Amino acid sequence: MKVALIEPTSPDFHIFSLFPLPRLGTVLLGTILKDQGHDVNVIVESMGEIPWDDVTGSELVGISTTTSTAPRAYEMAKTLRELGILTVLGGSHVTFMPEEGMVNADFVIRGEGERSLPMLVDALEGKGSLVDVPGLSYWHDQQAVHNPVDQNLIDLNELPEPDFTLLGTNMFHKKGWTRRVVPIQTSRGCPYNCNFCSVTRMFGRRMRYRDVE
């Protein structure tokens, strides 16, 4: 399947604005899909213009959301869906607001996506069922269906090394990315439960670490 994964830009200044740095989620998901044989393009809007010809030639477009980028993500998803392209939203914002996301997209993945997105792609190719995709929200007979989130947390050591070449050569050299500031992931989760923070609801209160090696 031809898949585009997009990290939209925020409409205003935010903490990532100072650094031309892709967040790790879309690159990691793209790597997993590529390793399974899919044709994947990862696009970070803050690092370059979106190649819309490539995006609209995709069979599935996945769009990441934080609360600051959700309006832009919804705008993209709605436009693509009107063109007949399947869209799926993921990330922290739609994890907590899935039906809001479903107004604009065909699917929402709640929580961690490393297992769910490949299973969704398999289901769309007839190799599985939407019912079995953990954390998937979708419409069935005009009713919202919310599959349970997988309670078996992902072992970070089982995740592949992110392939940043999926960003493409044009984006890879845009706006200072030649400084090679590369994000890495060392852990997920937090033992605390601060009432202003989404981390524990997204990733749990148990700390998971990736081996230093």
Side-chain angles (χ1 to χ4, degrees):
M1 180 175 282
K2 184 173 175 56
V3 181
L5 300 177
I6 304 176
E7 182 185 310
T9 190
S10 173
D12 204 349
F13 179 85
H14 63 114
I15 190 170
F16 296 105
S17 300
L18 294 174
F19 305 98
L21 186 70
R23 288 189 285 276
L24 205 53
T26 49
V27 179
L28 187 54
L29 291 170
T31 303
I32 293 170
L33 292 178
K34 188 196 83 167
D35 289 347
Q36 293 183 349
H38 300 288
D39 180 6
V40 184
N41 187 18
V42 177
I43 301 151
V44 180
E45 189 176 21
S46 63
M47 296 176 64
E49 294 182 5
I50 294 178
W52 285 112
D53 287 345
D54 186 76
V55 172
T56 56
S58 301
E59 299 166 84
L60 176 69
V61 178
I63 308 173
S64 176
T65 68
T66 63
T67 297
S68 67
T69 64
R72 177 64 172 152
Y74 292 164
E75 176 188 355
M76 290 180 182
K78 184 177 180 180
T79 299
L80 291 166
R81 190 163 66 169
E82 289 173 351
L83 293 173
I85 300 167
L86 290 175
T87 55
V88 55
L89 297 171
S92 56
H93 187 82
V94 294
T95 289
F96 308 122
M97 306 287 287
E99 292 194 25
E100 179 185 283
M102 291 165 66
V103 170
N104 303 285
D106 299 291
F107 306 102
V108 166
I109 289 179
R110 305 175 340 267
E112 297 180 328
E114 287 90 354
R115 288 196 190 106
S116 301
L117 183 58
M119 291 178 68
L120 172 61
V121 173
D122 282 346
L124 295 175
E125 291 188 321
K127 302 173 186 175
S129 171
L130 296 178
V131 175
D132 298 323
V133 181
L136 183 68
S137 295
Y138 58 100
W139 298 105
H140 179 70
D141 292 337
Q142 299 183 327
Q143 297 292 319
V145 178
H146 303 290
N147 294 348
V149 174
D150 194 343
Q151 297 302 310
N152 296 313
L153 298 177
I154 293 169
D155 182 347
L156 301 188
N157 290 317
E158 294 178 358
L159 299 177
E161 181 178 342
D163 182 359
F164 288 100
T165 66
L166 291 173
L167 291 168
T169 54
N170 291 335
M171 191 164 291
F172 201 80
H173 295 286
K174 285 279 187 179
K175 296 184 180 179
W177 176 244
T178 49
R179 287 180 291 180
R180 297 294 188 270
V181 181
V182 179
I184 62 170
Q185 181 179 69
T186 60
S187 65
R188 284 185 189 174
C190 179
Y192 305 105
N193 194 24
C194 301
N195 60 10
F196 57 81
C197 184
S198 65
V199 167
T200 53
R201 288 186 62 191
M202 273 292 291
F203 300 117
R205 294 188 67 174
R206 179 172 67 83
M207 290 293 295
R208 288 170 284 160
Y209 297 96
R210 191 158 190 165
D211 288 346
V212 174
E213 290 77 15

